C-alpha cells in the first residue's frame, strides 16, 4: 500500500482525491487547527474505505528554527 504525505493540505480536498484515485494511505499536514477540524468533519461523512486512508494532522512549527545548508535544524539564539 502506497503512503503519501500532503504538506499544506488545508481542508484536504486534493488529499481525498488522491485516496479515491490511487487507494493510497494519505496523511495531510497543516499548521491550522481549524482546517484539520474541518477536514475531519468532511472525511467523517465519507465511506469507511476513505476514512481509514485519509488522515489529517496539525503541526506546530517553531518559528525560531533555522535550517543550515547541511539540512540540519538548529535553534537560533
Amino acid at each position: 500500500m502506497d503512503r503519501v504525505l500532503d504538506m499544506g493540505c488545508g481542508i484536504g480536498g486534493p488529499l481525498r482525491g488522491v485516496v479515491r484515485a490511487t487507494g493510497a494511505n494519505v496523511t495531510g499536514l497543516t499548521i491550522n487547527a481549524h482546517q484539520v477540524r474541518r477536514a475531519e468533519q468532511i472525511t467523517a461523512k465519507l465511506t469507511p474505505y476513505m476514512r481509514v486512508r485519509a488522515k489529517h494532522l496539525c503541526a506546530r512549527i517553531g518559528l525560531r528554527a533555522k535550517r543550515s545548508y547541511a539540512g540540519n535544524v538548529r535553534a537560533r539564539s
Side-chain angles (χ1 to χ4, degrees):
M1 176 82 48
D2 290 328
R3 294 184 298 172
V4 177
L5 175 62
D6 180 2
M7 296 180 69
C9 68
I11 63 169
L15 179 151
R16 288 184 294 277
V18 170
V19 172
R20 280 187 199 102
T22 67
N25 289 320
V26 184
T27 300
L29 182 65
T30 184
I31 61 171
N32 187 314
H34 173 74
Q35 289 178 336
V36 171
R37 286 190 300 274
R38 184 66 184 123
E40 288 173 343
Q41 290 170 349
I42 294 167
T43 303
K45 297 175 184 176
L46 301 177
T47 65
Y49 176 87
M50 291 291 292
R51 289 193 306 262
V52 167
R53 288 169 176 75
K55 302 294 178 199
H56 307 87
L57 302 173
C58 183
R60 298 194 189 277
I61 306 287
L63 297 178
R64 295 184 55 88
K66 177 181 176 184
R67 184 168 298 278
S68 72
Y69 290 110
N72 298 323
V73 175
R74 57 189 159 144
R76 283 190 222 171
S77 25

